[in-house]
Each structure stands twice: as C-alpha cells, then as structure tokens.
Amino acid sequence: MGIEELYAVATRELAKDLVFEINEEPVTLSIKGVLLARADSRGYNFSFFELGEDEFVLAVQMKGFTVYLGIESDEELEEEIYPELFRALLKHLTPQIALLITKAEKVYTGRADVLLDDDMGADLKEFFYGLLIKHRKGKTVYEQTEVA
C-alpha cells in the first residue's frame, strides 16, 4: 500500500473543519493541506508560519518527521488569540498527527509529499509547494536573515 495509506489517513483524520471557542467567541478553522516530510531530528517540536490574516501553517515535528498543516480561518485572526488557539489545535490534533507519523514510520520511503490539497488558497498552495521543493532538495525551510 505505502503512500496510499498515508493519503487515506490524512484525508480521514485531518481533512476537517474545526470549531474552537476562544475568548468566548467561536473560531472556525479548515485544514486545507497536509505535507509530510522527513526531519533530521527525532525530537518533538512545533512551529507556526503566518501567511496572512486568515491563513497559517502549523508544523509539528516528531519521531523523524514534520507534518505541516495548512489551515484557513473563516475570518481574520487577531494575534492575541494565537497562544490559546495553538494550544487547542495541538491538544486536538496531536493524536491524528501521531497516527499519521506512526504509519509513515512503517511505510513511507520518500523525503516529502503533499498528502492533502483540499482547494488551498493561492498563498497557502505556493508556500506548501515551496516547502515540498525545499524538503526534496534537502534545503532548510527557514529563511536565513542577517542581523542589521
């Protein structure tokens, strides 16, 4: 089976709309993309990439893989809700991400693949496919900047 199993897990477990109550207000998020990539570290970590006022990427690293989740909001998100929102996202999504990575440990031989592209917006799609190329070429995904 291989990669087909990973596509099925991503579609079944992660392609969904999520509603959280943050500061007594509902926040609706849609997972539009999932990218699986090998990581140099087997440690646990997460990162956040803000692409716009209603699009961001949550990257979760564990057990030698990084799972990037492309997420779109139904409205603009204020920065002050990010800590609580990411806490809720990680609490809710960690079991599904762990399931995907557990399967990947057994069947995945590639460097990086997009497992879900559910009508991603243009900026999100450009970011995801840029990540895909960087991972496949073995380049860092973080921008290097010089201190002024």
Side-chain angles (χ1 to χ4, degrees), residues 18-143:
L18 305 168
V19 180
F20 297 104
E21 188 172 307
I22 308 292
N23 296 336
E24 300 179 9
E25 295 289 324
V27 176
T28 304
L29 304 172
S30 299
I31 299 176
K32 297 291 189 174
V34 176
L35 176 111
L36 175 71
R38 292 204 175 269
D40 292 333
S41 171
R42 293 195 54 83
Y44 295 82
N45 202 349
F46 74 94
S47 299
F48 161 73
F49 302 90
E50 184 178 28
L51 303 181
E53 295 170 339
D54 63 349
E55 290 181 322
F56 61 92
V57 174
L58 182 62
V60 178
Q61 179 184 312
M62 62 175 71
K63 299 167 90 175
F65 288 93
T66 303
V67 175
Y68 297 90
L69 303 173
I71 301 173
E72 295 179 1
S73 173
D74 64 342
E75 59 186 59
E76 281 184 33
L77 298 174
E78 301 295 325
E79 282 188 35
E80 61 267 5
I81 72 164
Y82 286 167
E84 190 173 343
L85 181 62
F86 295 135
R87 191 174 309 116
L89 275 169
L90 286 169
K91 182 178 178 183
H92 182 78
L93 294 173
T94 298
Q96 291 91 340
I97 294 167
L99 175 65
L100 179 66
I101 289 173
T102 300
K103 286 268 190 207
E105 286 180 303
K106 296 174 186 170
V107 301
Y108 188 65
T109 58
R111 291 189 55 83
D113 276 289
V114 173
L115 301 179
L116 175 69
D117 181 347
D118 187 14
D119 198 27
M120 284 190 279
D123 291 341
L124 196 52
K125 188 174 288 236
E126 181 180 343
F127 184 80
F128 252 61
Y129 285 93
L131 281 175
L132 179 66
I133 290 168
K134 286 178 181 179
H135 274 289
R136 286 193 174 171
K137 289 182 176 182
K139 295 183 178 180
T140 181
V141 297
Y142 298 100
E143 296 296 321

